[in-house]
C-alpha cells in the first residue's frame, strides 16, 4: 500500500477517534450532570474537527485517481463516521434544549452502549487498512450489531416505561425524543460497520 492510499485510512482513524472522544464526553455528561453548557461546547468542538476530516477526505478523493477501496465506500464510511459525531453532538444539545433536570437510568445505559459501540468502530477503522487479511473485522462488526440490538431493546423498554409510568406530558415529549436520538447513534455505528464488512466481502 502506498503512502497516498494509507492516508485514506489515517483519516478514518482520525474521524473515529473524534467520535469516540465525543461519546466519552457525552457519557461524562450523563454520569455527572453538571456544567452542561461546557460539555456541549466540547461536543461542538469535536463536531467541527470531524467536519474538517470529512472535507480533507473529499479533497483527497477529488485529487486521487487510484483509491485503496471503492470511492463509494470511502465516501460512505467517511460520512457515516461524521454522522456518529454529529448525532452525539445533537443529543448533547437536547439535554440543554429540553431543560433536562435529571438523567434517567435508561439514558445512562444507552450511553454506555454508545461508548462501547464507538470504541469498536474505532478499532474497525484502525484495522481497515488490513481489510484483505484481517481476522478481527468480522468479530468487531458482530459486536457492534449486538450492541445495536441491545440498544433497540433498551430504547423500546424505556419508551414503554415512559408512557406507563410518567404522567407529565412535557416529560414524555422530552424523553421520547432524547431516547430516539441516543438510539440513533448506535444505528449509525451499525451502518458504518456493515459498510466496512461489505468492503471485506468484496475483496475476499
Amino acid at each position: 500500500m502506498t503512502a497516498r492510499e494509507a492516508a485514506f485510512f489515517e483519516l478514518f482513524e482520525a474521524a473515529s477517534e473524534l467520535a469516540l472522544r465525543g461519546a466519552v464526553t457525552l457519557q461524562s455528561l450523563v454520569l455527572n450532570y453538571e456544567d452542561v453548557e461546557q460539555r456541549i461546547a466540547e461536543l461542538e468542538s469535536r463536531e467541527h474537527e470531524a467536519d474538517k476530516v470529512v472535507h480533507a477526505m473529499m479533497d483527497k478523493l477529488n485529487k486521487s485517481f487510484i483509491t485503496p477501496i471503492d470511492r463509494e465506500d470511502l465516501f460512505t464510511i467517511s460520512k457515516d463516521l461524521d454522522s456518529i459525531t454529529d448525532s452525539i453532538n445533537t443529543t448533547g444539545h437536547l439535554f440543554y434544549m429540553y431543560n433536562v433536570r435529571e438523567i434517567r437510568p435508561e439514558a445512562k445505559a444507552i450511553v454506555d452502549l454508545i461508548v462501547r459501540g464507538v470504541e469498536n468502530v474505532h478499532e474497525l477503522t484502525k484495522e481497515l487498512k488490513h481489510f484483505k487479511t484481517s481476522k478481527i473485522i468480522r468479530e468487531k462488526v458482530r459486536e457492534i450489531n449486538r450492541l445495536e440490538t441491545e440498544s433497540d431493546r433498551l430504547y423500546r423498554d424505556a419508551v414503554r416505561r415512559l408512557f406507563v409510568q410518567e404522567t407529565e406530558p412535557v416529560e414524555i415529549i422530552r424523553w421520547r425524543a432524547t431516547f430516539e436520538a441516543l438510539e440513533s447513534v448506535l444505528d449509525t455505528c451499525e451502518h458504518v460497520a456493515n459498510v466496512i464488512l461489505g468492503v471485506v466481502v468484496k475483496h475476499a
Side-chain angles (χ1 to χ4, degrees):
M1 182 181 300
T2 67
R4 288 179 178 271
E5 292 175 325
F8 285 105
F9 300 113
E10 291 169 3
L11 287 170
F12 285 152
E13 287 185 42
S16 65
E17 182 178 355
L18 288 168
L20 181 55
R21 288 165 64 186
V24 170
T25 298
L26 182 64
Q27 185 179 51
S28 175
L29 173 64
V30 300
L31 292 180
N32 183 24
Y33 196 58
E34 298 175 352
D35 302 321
V36 176
E37 293 185 53
Q38 178 183 336
R39 304 286 177 76
I40 290 174
E42 292 174 13
L43 293 175
E44 286 183 345
S45 177
R46 299 292 85 75
E47 182 186 20
H48 294 325
E49 291 178 65
D51 287 341
K52 292 177 182 178
V53 174
V54 172
H55 295 153
M57 176 65 76
M58 297 304 105
D59 287 344
K60 188 159 187 61
L61 273 174
N62 289 333
K63 296 175 182 177
S64 299
F65 180 71
I66 298 175
T67 57
I69 60 178
D70 290 348
R71 290 176 177 273
E72 294 80 3
D73 291 332
L74 286 169
F75 177 81
T76 301
I77 293 170
S78 178
K79 294 299 291 183
D80 280 350
L81 290 172
D82 184 54
S83 292
I84 294 173
T85 308
D86 285 346
S87 57
I88 290 171
N89 179 49
T90 297
T91 303
H93 275 80
L94 290 182
F95 291 111
Y96 177 76
M97 289 168 55
Y98 291 152
N99 195 28
V100 171
R101 299 299 179 85
E102 184 177 351
I103 302 297
R104 289 179 175 260
E106 301 97 331
K108 295 178 182 179
I110 297 175
V111 171
D112 178 66
L113 294 179
I114 288 172
V115 172
R116 290 156 61 190
V118 181
E119 284 174 344
N120 278 276
V121 168
H122 186 45
E123 291 300 319
L124 270 180
T125 61
K126 291 195 290 185
E127 187 68 14
L128 186 54
K129 57 182 169 288
H130 307 301
F131 65 91
K132 291 183 180 180
T133 58
S134 174
K135 305 298 183 183
I136 68 171
I137 285 180
R138 291 175 186 270
E139 173 189 334
K140 294 294 180 183
V141 171
R142 283 194 296 269
E143 176 62 8
I144 292 168
N145 293 156
R146 187 192 70 78
L147 291 168
E148 195 280 330
T149 299
E150 177 66 9
S151 75
D152 276 344
R153 184 189 65 79
L154 286 177
Y155 165 74
R156 289 192 297 268
D157 290 348
V159 172
R160 173 169 172 76
R161 191 173 298 112
L162 198 60
F163 279 91
V164 170
Q165 299 178 356
E166 187 56 58
T167 58
E168 175 55 53
V170 172
E171 190 72 357
I172 293 173
I173 294 170
R174 171 187 291 143
W175 276 104
R176 182 179 183 181
T178 303
F179 286 141
E180 287 177 352
L182 287 168
E183 203 280 327
S184 72
V185 180
L186 270 300
D187 288 341
T188 308
C189 288
E190 183 177 53
H191 189 264
V192 70
N194 289 337
V195 173
I196 290 173
L197 180 60
V199 170
V200 173
V201 171
K202 286 178 186 178
H203 294 86

